[in-house]
Amino acid sequence: MSDAQRRPGRLRAALRMGLKGIVWLTLALAAAALLALTLAVQQSPRWPEPTAVSAADVARARDFLHRNDPRRPAFGPFRTLIASEREANLMLDQLVRRVAPGGSAQLMLAGGSARLQASLPVPHSPVAAWLNIAATLHETPGLPAIADLRVGRLPVPAWLAERLLPALAARLNATPEGALALDMVRRVRLTPARVEVVYEWGDDGLQRLLGTLLPPAEQARLTAYAQALSGAMQAHVSAGGSTGLPLANLLPPLFTLASQRSVGGDAVAENRAALLTLALQAIGRRMSDLVPAIQAAPQPPHLTMTLAGREDFAQHFLISAALALEGGGPLADAIGVYKETVDLRQGSGFSFNDIAADRAGARLGLLARRDPQALQQRLARGARESDFMPDVADLPEFLGRKEFLATYGGLDAPPYRRMLADIDRRLDALPLLR
């Protein structure tokens, strides 16, 4: 047989071998990907539960904000934000709550480096699935670099970890917050006791920050709720209503609007805007303070928003609701306790009925995130105060420091815990907050 006659046969054999090679390579790559996925994804979180926020932490956060206020006078455009390890972990915890609800993260500082541990739930997984991440960060003249990275039982080579950073930066740059941070931050210093973030704060820093926190779409959303609130309050005045306007009368029109705007949209964002609008009104602030475009719109009349006939209950309830939706119930509870401990030392005294209003609002805020459209539909149909606020007329209030300590022993004592358990039982019985 001549070479010309043998050539087609050799070609077919080569093609079969090449095809087999492609098939085996594909199978090998698929097996490698499956193995990597099996090693990376685990059935349970490895790291501790999210950081518990206490009233002392709230005081610490207030001091942190005062120390690091970028509006304070400084020489030159550069500022340095300084956070202790505890403060850094509180901020990290709130970030994780926003981007990966249920997850946790911890930062452990050392000289020139830090160890980051995080457990993040895999979104939309039909079974329990977690990414347990451990990374070592090293200080550089700019942003920290990843020295080593492990996801579950899968070690990630340093060269691959470094290549992931540009991709992460690109994703951050795609968000307004990330783009602002990447543009402003110049260096991160890591010491055993604290994190120092050097950033540039120009003359337009505050305007840029507000523009990031409230992009045009969010400003338009808040404007819609400010106008709805103004209309509802004006209707109350036109109907001859009193200067005290019950919160239960304002929830239906605002959450009717939220339900309408949520069709094909973001129901949680609509609930956030509704609660923020109500909370600002309750404490005597106007949405126009945050959104200048609203200044040209009709302003709501000067009315007092009440809950159970009291202005302070409406304030406690709505601020806690907005905080819980944004940062989780424990944060709202801790801020409520902090406020009462401040009153205990220098104000009107400790009031358990204020705590009840705080915890009721926190439950509503969590429901606004957990089941946003169901809450919208329920409130749009109308709600009585007794649906979301328990009877607290019998709870002690205006307790002085000596009386509070003598009767309840402090924030960790059993008598105080029993009072909180009683408040929670009352909240459990409310139709809207079950």
Side-chain angles (χ1 to χ4, degrees), residues 417-434:
R417 295 294 175 189
R418 285 195 291 271
M419 287 297 297
L420 292 187
D422 176 47
I423 290 172
D424 284 336
R425 282 193 293 271
R426 300 184 190 204
L427 296 175
D428 291 339
L430 299 179
L432 187 62
L433 305 183
R434 287 174 185 167

Side-chain angles (χ1 to χ4, degrees), residues 273-297:
L275 289 173
L276 179 59
T277 301
L278 287 167
L280 287 175
Q281 181 68 26
I283 62 175
R285 300 292 296 273
R286 301 296 177 89
M287 188 61 70
S288 55
D289 296 336
L290 295 178
V291 185
I294 298 179
Q295 293 177 356

Side-chain angles (χ1 to χ4, degrees), residues 249-270:
N249 291 9
L250 295 172
L251 290 173
L254 264 70
F255 279 88
T256 296
L257 176 62
S259 180
Q260 294 168 347
R261 291 176 56 92
S262 295
V263 177
D266 187 341
V268 173
E270 299 300 333

Side-chain angles (χ1 to χ4, degrees), residues 115-136:
R115 185 69 174 168
L116 175 65
Q117 297 173 336
S119 290
L120 308 176
V122 177
H124 312 301
S125 175
V127 296
W130 291 80
L131 294 177
N132 293 310
I133 301 168
T136 299

Side-chain angles (χ1 to χ4, degrees), residues 173 176-186 199-200 204 208:
N173 199 49
E177 299 91 341
L180 182 65
L182 291 173
D183 184 49
M184 295 179 68
V185 174
R186 294 292 177 263
Y199 65 99
E200 186 173 8
D204 62 343
R208 293 179 66 195

Side-chain angles (χ1 to χ4, degrees), residues 23-84:
V23 171
W24 281 111
L25 178 60
T26 302
L27 291 175
L29 291 174
L34 181 60
L35 177 61
L37 184 63
T38 302
L39 292 173
V41 178
Q42 298 178 301
Q43 294 180 339
S44 61
R46 181 179 179 184
W47 311 119
E49 292 291 321
T51 306
V53 183
S54 66
D57 289 327
V58 177
R60 185 179 291 110
R62 184 172 181 175
D63 179 61
F64 169 83
L65 293 173
H66 176 73
R67 295 194 322 264
N68 294 286
D69 189 342
R71 297 169 298 177
R72 299 177 69 179
F75 296 101
F78 294 102
R79 307 284 197 278
T80 301
L81 182 150
I82 300 174
S84 67

